Amino acid sequence: MFPGLRGPDQERGGPQRRPDRRPPGEPFPGADLRLTPMPDTTISTTRRGVIQRWTATIIPTTREAPTDAEVPSHVLLHRAGFIRPVGAGIYDYLPLAWRSLTKIAAIVREEMDAAGASEMLMPALEPFELFKDTKRDETYGDNLFRLKDRKGRTNALAPTHEEVITDLMKGVLTSYKQLPLNLYQVQTKFRDEARPRAGLLRCREFIMKDAYSFHLTLDGPGGLGDTYDRMFTAYSNIFRRCGLSFKAVEAESGPIGGSASHEFMVTCESGEDTVLTCAASGYAANVEKCEIGARPRGTFQEPPTGDLAEVHTPNLPGIDEVGKFMKVKPDRMLKTIVFRAAGGGGGGGGGGGVPAWVVAVVRGDHDVNEGKVKALAGVDAVALASLEEAKKAGFAVGYVSPRVVNTVPGVRLLIDADASLGGFWASGADKADHHVKHFNWRREVGAALDDPARVIVGDVRNAAAGDPSPRAEGSALATTRGIEVGHIFKLGTKYSDAMGLKVLDDQQKSASVIMGCYGIGVSRTLAAAVEQNHDANGILFPAAIAPYHAVITVMKPDDSRQADAAGRLADALARAGVDVLIDDRDERPGVKFKDADLIGVPVRLTVGDKALDQDAVEFKLRKDTAGKGENVPMSGIVERCVGALNG
RNA sequence: CGGGGUGUAGCGCAGCUUGGUUAGCGCGCUUGACUGGGGGUCAAGAGGUCGGCGGUUCGAAUCCGCCCACCCCGACCA
């Protein structure tokens, strides 16, 4: 027997309204948490699982979700009693959610520590002045939460902590001998999202792990590349241990160039981001970054398909509407987008140097990619031209054609390979409310096509499913949807230079510190796990991040034999490290089974008379949706649970 | 920021067009009885500043004005 086990309920005296019913507040007899005392030793090699009774905590499950919840994770996290809304993009994390979040964070901490990083904590509130040097007060825009204190000073609620930690390091880093260094924190972040949505997937307040590393060199021992690779491995470990199916994809590389940034995407249908993959080579990239393999190009010598014909196309807002009106499919139309080039003076350019305007032409069914436009144009930065300035310069915005390379001064024309082909094209007519049919490159644009300073053919659009792979000849790219749960990034000296973070190197010369940053959306990871692991009945948590590993469903909690068996079972499981939730509610079995499915605990153990008569309990896995459960003898139940949870 | 929509009990909704007793329904909640292995049955209850402010009127959930909050699509964004 178990020493210290108290007798059944009936032995206790005192007035009871009904002898067979526990009054509120009375402990569930079998679940005395002090059956096995926590060890007094400081160092423990075994972790004891927790035991919680359903009636002693709060798990407000509901049959219906609020109407505004649309994506599965939002609906289920609400229905299963994990979260409740407080304001737009702000949520309470109830006990079940907090247990899962704590487990995710614990995995993150273990892997970060193992990779040589040190945890610390910075404030969420920071003086607004910190953002001045890096100009993020402007570039971050309205997404930066600002608030005034009683003295009228503006403060910010941190969206990330590059400025705070760079400022901190300015005071403590003096020598290259202190490098490399990698510091991280798990903390609440704030971003004043224009449109928070989808429950925990896009919040204004959310939990994030952010890490920052510091180096003297890009490569070599102790260099940024070294830590970056370690973080890549740590992130892979973290999401694998969380039980998630994910992809590491190449992302926009920023100031360093090359493969200086990876996003970790949990793959699932409802993901907001598009990921392109090549099965043959293993290449994966997000839509902003994804390269496209070799594509055929036009010669600009193809014959016209007919006489240029102008069509009146009034009040048609988009390319699809124009196409329908003209009876032309979007993939036979040219979309011409006007960008302002950085540093381009009005009227200049055109013959090398910096052009004033960069005009990109893609097929109507394709999307222009700003990063590719910038790269192909060979300029520092591009920005979509504002309506007024473009009109002033002579662009018929909305009806621009490639002919502007000859009519507007300072234009560098970038033509996507697919748009450079011959055949029938429709295009803008360079005047309001008009388009043209039978656009022909040679006839309409002429000699400018032969001037490499004015016209460049290349890749300026987002990759799409079916495009040739950039890494494996003959294979095509495929698209999947994903949720970005992690991002690792080589910052370079962007922040250290902006804020003056330098150390002395071994030549006693002042050197800019090279930085990397590494983020994981902890609360988003919880939501992503639910997006990826659910069925019609509720959540199916991976064991590593489930709030409890096992739920013991007690059929008759007021029956002393059942209560006692549940208590002993819970205790034995806890000793083996299993976190146990005992459903001791006086509810009908159907309610309890439905709720157990809903909250997604991986293992369900049902304690009822039928099984107990054989000294057994019913064992059922949440993912085994069809099965009816299996009677497992008491003597083997712990082993069975542990095996299932580790397996 | 542009377009669309919704605010009535913890949740989901009706009532509003055509102003008029005490504002209803389902789920949930409380009490009791019967039940007891996949959201049970019956009975009796509790629970509402009808988003806010102002206006019209003898009288406003209902009509008018302003404001606020929230959601969806887009833009933007880690």
Side-chain angles (χ1 to χ4, degrees):
Chain A
M1 268 307 276
F2 297 96
L5 183 61
R6 229 170 26 200
D9 210 14
Q10 291 89 322
E11 288 182 14
R12 251 176 284 135
Q16 293 186 345
R17 278 170 298 178
R18 278 179 53 179
D20 60 336
R21 173 167 296 194
R22 272 176 300 119
E26 280 294 306
F28 183 69
D32 190 325
L33 304 191
R34 284 174 300 279
L35 282 175
T36 305
M38 292 296 284
D40 289 335
T41 49
T42 305
I43 311 278
S44 170
T45 53
T46 56
R47 178 190 164 276
R48 192 188 196 278
V50 303
I51 301 173
Q52 183 59 278
R53 290 178 296 120
W54 199 299
T55 58
T57 183
I58 183 73
I59 308 174
T61 59
T62 60
R63 212 182 295 217
E64 291 176 286
T67 26
D68 52 35
E70 300 215 326
V71 299
S73 68
H74 190 186
V75 170
L76 292 172
L77 287 171
H78 184 104
R79 284 195 52 212
F82 281 62
I83 58 169
R84 283 294 184 270
V86 176
I90 308 170
Y91 288 89
D92 290 315
Y93 303 113
L94 276 65
L96 287 188
W98 187 243
R99 287 194 57 81
S100 281
L101 290 168
T102 303
K103 289 187 176 189
I104 294 168
I107 292 171
V108 169
R109 289 186 163 106
E110 284 177 22
E111 294 295 333
M112 290 301 291
D113 291 342
S118 307
E119 184 170 3
M120 62 175 296
L121 186 62
M122 289 174 265
L125 190 66
E126 57 180 302
F128 194 62
E129 285 72 37
L130 267 183
F131 287 97
K132 283 282 194 280
D133 288 339
T134 61
K135 296 207 168 61
R136 285 218 300 175
D137 51 343
E138 293 162 24
T139 56
Y140 227 92
D142 289 337
N143 269 8
L144 186 63
F145 263 111
R146 295 142 215 253
L147 59 97
K148 282 208 160 101
D149 63 23
R150 66 199 299 162
K151 292 175 183 164
R153 279 168 48 108
T154 303
N155 296 272
L157 289 171
T160 60
H161 280 72
E162 283 84 356
E163 287 85 359
V164 178
I165 200 158
T166 304
D167 187 58
L168 169 69
M169 289 300 119
K170 274 169 70 180
V172 297
L173 282 186
T174 50
S175 161
Y176 74 98
K177 293 177 184 172
Q178 293 169 293
L179 305 179
L181 184 65
N182 192 359
L183 299 168
Y184 78 97
Q185 62 178 345
V186 178
Q187 195 216 30
T188 298
K189 294 286 192 287
F190 298 87
R191 295 184 192 177
D192 196 0
E193 283 291 332
R195 188 151 90 79
R197 69 188 99 165
L200 294 191
L201 283 176
R202 190 165 216 84
C203 285
R204 296 201 295 169
E205 178 180 323
F206 57 99
I207 300 171
M208 184 177 180
K209 187 280 306 181
D210 50 326
Y212 306 91
S213 71
F214 304 89
H215 315 266
L216 191 67
T217 59
L218 282 173
D219 303 308
L224 173 61
D226 202 36
T227 296
Y228 187 87
D229 292 344
R230 277 171 182 263
M231 287 295 100
F232 190 98
T233 304
Y235 274 41
S236 301
N237 291 343
I238 287 165
F239 296 119
R240 180 179 45 73
R241 285 182 60 190
C242 285
L244 300 173
S245 164
F246 67 98
K247 276 193 167 66
V249 310
E250 292 183 18
E252 198 54 52
S253 49
I256 296 273
S259 60
S261 169
H262 284 85
E263 289 171 349
F264 286 76
M265 303 287 227
V266 166
T267 47
C268 69
E269 266 312 301
S270 53
E272 280 188 308
D273 301 305
T274 302
V275 176
L276 290 113
T277 59
C278 164
S281 63
Y283 175 81
N286 71 13
V287 78
E288 283 77 34
K289 165 78 180 178
C290 188
E291 304 159 37
I292 303 175
R295 285 180 282 160
R297 303 171 171 211
T299 61
F300 296 135
Q301 301 301 337
E302 292 86 355
T305 51
D307 293 338
L308 193 69
E310 218 166 72
V311 184
H312 187 50
T313 53
N315 303 319
L316 296 168
I319 199 129
D320 292 334
E321 287 83 357
V322 174
K324 257 179 211 157
F325 181 80
M326 293 173 66
K327 297 200 165 51
V328 176
K329 293 215 170 96
D331 65 2
R332 291 285 84 204
M333 301 178 68
L334 296 176
K335 185 155 66 181
T336 306
I337 310 289
V338 180
F339 293 93
R340 183 98 204 175
V354 180
W357 307 96
V358 173
V359 176
V361 185
V362 298
R363 239 167 55 186
D365 58 329
H366 289 149
D367 293 314
V368 176
N369 180 305
E370 238 181 77
K372 291 179 178 182
V373 168
K374 189 179 81 175
L376 190 64
V379 298
D380 291 340
V382 293
L384 204 59
S386 76
L387 196 64
E388 298 130 43
E389 63 174 353
K391 276 188 174 162
K392 207 164 147 192
F395 295 102
V397 177
Y399 307 90
V400 179
S401 94
R403 294 178 295 190
V404 293
V405 71
N406 291 319
T407 59
V408 179
V411 167
R412 183 168 293 169
L413 191 68
L414 309 182
I415 307 171
D416 186 66
D418 292 324
S420 72
L421 297 171
F424 174 90
W425 289 114
S427 158
D430 291 315
K431 70 179 187 188
D433 297 331
H434 288 79
H435 284 78
V436 296
K437 289 179 170 182
H438 299 292
F439 179 95
N440 176 268
W441 280 107
R442 177 57 57 183
R443 183 178 66 195
E444 265 57 77
V445 181
L449 294 168
D450 306 319
D451 180 354
R454 297 173 67 195
V455 175
I456 308 173
V457 178
D459 175 19
V460 290
R461 65 167 173 89
N462 286 345
D467 282 338
S469 163
R471 297 287 185 277
E473 207 172 327
S475 50
L477 293 168
T479 55
T480 56
R481 304 289 286 171
I483 299 168
E484 182 192 348
V485 289
H487 197 164
I488 58 178
F489 201 94
K490 292 182 184 174
L491 284 174
T493 57
K494 180 180 172 186
Y495 290 90
S496 45
D497 280 348
M499 298 180 69
L501 171 60
K502 292 176 185 304
V503 295
L504 282 188
D505 65 15
D506 59 357
Q507 306 296 312
Q508 297 195 45
K509 281 206 221 105
S510 179
S512 290
V513 173
I514 293 168
M515 294 172 61
C517 69
Y518 319 94
I520 289 180
V522 174
S523 45
R524 182 184 276 185
T525 298
L526 172 62
V530 175
E531 290 290 335
Q532 199 175 68
N533 300 283
H534 68 271
D535 64 16
N537 292 318
I539 306 168
L540 288 89
F541 268 113
I545 62 172
Y548 295 93
H549 299 120
V551 56
I552 298 177
T553 304
V554 188
M555 301 307 295
K556 296 179 190 166
D558 298 317
D559 178 276
S560 64
R561 182 173 72 140
Q562 290 189 14
D564 186 53
R568 283 185 287 124
L569 189 56
D571 188 54
L573 286 165
R575 286 176 202 230
V578 177
D579 293 333
V580 185
L581 178 64
I582 302 175
D583 190 349
D584 59 339
R585 293 175 299 168
D586 181 22
E587 282 288 355
R588 299 183 68 80
V591 174
K592 295 183 167 199
F593 292 144
K594 285 284 186 191
D595 276 349
D597 286 349
L598 184 58
I599 67 173
V601 173
V603 172
R604 192 185 81 202
L605 301 170
T606 307
V607 172
D609 285 332
K610 290 175 194 168
L612 277 186
D613 288 343
Q614 307 166 36
D615 196 32
V617 291
E618 185 187 297
F619 172 94
K620 185 173 178 301
L621 293 177
R622 171 66 178 86
K623 66 183 175 193
D624 183 15
T625 46
K628 301 210 72 176
E630 172 194 351
N631 279 355
V632 174
M634 280 289 190
S635 55
I637 195 67
V638 170
E639 195 184 357
R640 186 66 184 276
C641 288
V642 170
L645 290 164
N646 284 332

